[in-house]
Amino acid sequence: MANTTKHKTIWFCNACGAESPKWMGRCPACGEWNSMVEETVVTGKKTSISNILNSQNHKPTPLSSVDTQAEQRISLGNGELDRLLGGGLVEGSLVLIGGEPGIGKSTLSLQIPLHCPDIRTLYVSGEESVRQVKLRAKRLGGNEDNCFIYSETQMENILQQAREVAPQLMIVDSVQTMYSQALESAAGSVSQIKESAAMLLRFAKESGIPVILIGHITKEGSIAGPKILEHIVDVVFQFEGENKGSYRLLRSIKNRFGSTNELAVFEMTGSGLREVSNPSEMLIPMHEEGMSGVAVSVTMDGTRAFLIETQALVSSAAYGTPQRSATGFDGKRLNMLLAVLEKKAGFRLGAKDVFINMAGGLRVNEPACDLAVVCAVLSSNFDFSIPADTCFAGEVGLSGEIRPVYQVDRRITEAARLGFKRIYVSSFSAISENHKGIKVVKIKDIPALCRDLFAQQD
């Protein structure tokens, strides 16, 4: 019988996974530019992952007969990770953790089975040998009896071993190193990542075994591979932070079983990642009294309120053209706030360099930090210090007005719990009257803020 297999070249879109018989500058499906990559595929050979997995015959089920009880969740022995997942790992779910090299993805994934000896775990390593994983496990500590290590990259072998071991949790490090015999393209290609993810998804849904995937990211900060990978999985977490620093931020990007835009904070130590249950420990002021250019903002990330130190430096432009630099804050929004200060409050900052930094390596996208940025800039420009027991929570509009922010009561409560005595908020905020131990100062615009701040210096 003649071999009917044929090799041909197909162009795939890295963003959406769409196929094209030839290269195109712009993907016709999603509109992305320069996202087409070339791959060699095999045609004429019918393959199906149903031949690999022991699939069951499923039948349509009336929606009225579906059980609406809460999903069964598995605690991972890590309070911050369980909170990020929405109360624990849901059975049959597929979780993707992405991040830069060396940020702590493999460390976190190995800590899970070591600190949860009651969970039978299959740890599949496609990047390290069994000996390398053992050396890292000795450094992290914990119970190793119920953790099975398997160094393999071929999906068919991995799924076969998963059926034999029958774990309660499977961890794959990383999905970009996996490949299937059904395709002849190289590991890490668009088609291989799609096929490997689809096989793991079907395995998780049919067996009820949750699977955690580790993923690489590109230089732009997005998870490597086709965008469809993030659509397939149930949960997407992303590690953030500087490799040179000790703190790591795990952010929830997508979660079908819990809240999104949540944030967990970890500290990298010699024995692994340590939970930081109170992020304000690393973000509140760590300086002496009387230092200018520092203001504290009360920000929210998901349902969690914490305080972050905003630092500003304003100096005369030494090279003619003023510099505007923001670390952890949107540079365009900084330019907008400086324009508001000049137009509505009369401060001449056009000939001065302005530098903004958010302490702790945290990147802030919430408008509630506007008020703290403005106050830090004014403090540095006029070289006066803001009292260390004062914090801010408000958005600055283009007309100079101070706009209210959401969940202001929770922000005030968190500030009072950490010992702050005064907080500036918008005069339009609806605030309950039962806050004790802290004075709530309501202001309506930037000129009113300046009058109140400068009055404290007299």
Side-chain angles (χ1 to χ4, degrees):
M1 183 175 178
N3 188 3
T4 59
T5 61
K6 297 180 180 179
H7 296 260
K8 70 174 185 178
T9 298
I10 290 182
W11 293 84
F12 286 94
C13 175
N14 261 327
C16 67
E19 300 179 12
S20 174
K22 62 180 181 179
W23 180 86
M24 303 181 72
R26 185 180 186 184
C27 174
C30 65
E32 283 288 327
W33 288 92
N34 298 323
S35 61
M36 306 298 287
V37 293
E38 182 183 13
E39 290 187 14
T40 301
V41 298
V42 180
T43 61
K45 182 171 66 173
K46 185 177 180 181
T47 58
S48 174
I49 61 174
S50 61
N51 298 328
I52 302 167
L53 301 175
N54 293 327
S55 61
Q56 300 176 354
N57 294 326
H58 298 286
K59 296 182 179 180
T61 304
L63 186 60
S64 58
S65 64
V66 177
D67 188 7
T68 58
Q69 294 182 355
E71 304 93 348
Q72 296 293 326
R73 293 182 181 265
I74 302 172
S75 175
L76 299 179
N78 188 308
E80 288 293 284
L81 196 55
D82 285 344
R83 181 183 61 82
L84 218 60
L85 288 165
L89 194 61
V90 176
E91 294 183 357
S93 61
L94 196 60
V95 179
L96 176 63
I97 301 178
E100 296 180 353
I103 201 72
K105 306 183 297 298
S106 299
T107 299
L108 178 64
S109 61
L110 188 56
Q111 277 187 225
I112 293 173
L114 294 179
H115 295 168
C116 296
D118 296 334
I119 300 178
R120 188 181 180 89
T121 305
L122 175 61
Y123 187 96
V124 181
S125 176
E127 300 178 349
E128 297 177 306
S129 66
V130 174
R131 181 178 176 82
Q132 287 176 300
V133 177
K134 172 64 176 180
L135 292 173
R136 183 151 46 89
K138 288 179 63 177
R139 177 176 59 86
L140 298 177
N143 194 323
E144 306 173 2
D145 296 337
N146 225 6
C147 179
F148 295 81
I149 305 299
Y150 186 46
S151 181
E152 180 59 75
T153 57
Q154 185 175 316
M155 285 303 307
E156 287 79 5
N157 295 339
I158 292 171
L159 296 178
Q160 180 182 353
Q161 292 299 322
R163 289 194 298 269
E164 295 179 4
V165 175
Q168 297 170 284
L169 171 65
M170 187 164 76
I171 300 172
V172 179
D173 184 10
S174 66
V175 67
Q176 281 84 7
T177 61
M178 301 297 135
Y179 76 96
S180 170
Q181 283 184 325
L183 303 174
E184 292 194 3
S185 54
S189 62
V190 173
S191 54
Q192 285 288 5
I193 293 176
K194 287 170 58 179
E195 181 73 7
S196 299
M199 294 172 71
L200 289 169
L201 176 67
R202 184 164 184 174
F203 169 78
K205 300 305 179 185
E206 291 185 354
S207 64
I209 299 173
V211 179
I212 297 178
L213 304 178
I214 306 300
H216 301 159
I217 66 171
T218 63
K219 61 182 180 180
E220 291 82 13
S222 59
I223 296 177
K227 198 69 177 178
I228 194 173
L229 176 62
E230 298 180 43
H231 294 292
I232 288 176
V233 301
D234 299 307
V235 181
V236 179
F237 291 157
Q238 185 151 350
F239 254 118
E240 301 176 0
E242 298 292 336
N243 290 336
K244 297 180 180 178
S246 60
Y247 291 103
R248 302 289 189 268
L249 310 177
L250 186 62
R251 192 180 299 275
S252 175
I253 307 298
K254 172 187 175 181
N255 193 347
R256 288 175 178 161
F257 310 108
S259 174
T260 57
N261 295 322
E262 288 286 355
L263 182 74
V265 183
F266 297 91
E267 183 183 8
M268 181 63 78
T269 65
S271 58
L273 290 165
R274 180 187 72 87
E275 303 174 52
V276 179
S277 57
N278 182 15
S280 298
E281 294 176 2
M282 68 172 187
L283 302 175
I284 55 178
M286 299 180 185
H287 57 81
E288 299 178 355
E289 291 282 348
M291 184 175 294
S292 63
V294 176
V296 178
S297 173
V298 188
T299 184
M300 297 283 298
D301 204 304
T303 59
R304 165 175 284 184
F306 55 91
L307 284 79
I308 180 171
E309 180 183 291
T310 303
Q311 303 170 346
L313 175 63
V314 180
S315 62
S316 299
Y319 303 104
T321 303
Q323 299 184 61
R324 302 286 187 264
S325 177
T327 303
F329 191 74
D330 187 5
K332 293 182 179 180
R333 194 163 189 87
L334 172 61
N335 290 331
M336 182 269 288
L337 295 176
L338 297 178
V340 171
L341 281 176
E342 186 160 346
K343 178 71 175 180
K344 300 299 179 181
F347 296 110
R348 303 302 177 188
L349 301 173
K352 295 187 176 182
D353 296 333
V354 180
F355 303 92
I356 294 292
N357 177 54
M358 295 293 173
L362 187 66
R363 179 163 187 83
V364 178
N365 297 315
E366 198 194 13
C369 294
D370 290 354
L371 204 55
V373 171
V374 167
C375 293
V377 169
L378 294 178
S379 172
S380 178
N381 186 52
F382 295 102
D383 199 23
F384 72 85
S385 62
I386 297 174
D389 59 356
T390 300
C391 56
F392 306 86
E395 177 184 355
V396 177
L398 291 178
S399 299
E401 78 278 12
I402 308 300
R403 303 175 62 85
V405 295
Y406 71 99
Q407 296 189 1
V408 64
D409 283 315
R410 180 170 294 184
R411 299 170 194 264
I412 296 173
T413 302
E414 178 69 11
R417 186 180 69 84
L418 293 174
F420 284 80
K421 302 300 182 183
R422 179 190 295 258
I423 181 171
Y424 285 83
V425 299
S426 171
S427 59
F428 304 100
S429 300
I431 303 172
S432 60
E433 300 296 333
N434 57 355
H435 295 290
K436 298 181 179 179
I438 187 170
K439 181 181 179 180
V440 180
V441 181
K442 293 185 175 182
I443 50 175
K444 63 178 182 178
D445 53 23
I446 292 295
L449 170 68
C450 296
R451 287 193 296 269
D452 194 279
L453 281 178
F454 290 141
Q456 295 184 44
Q457 305 303 312
D458 296 339

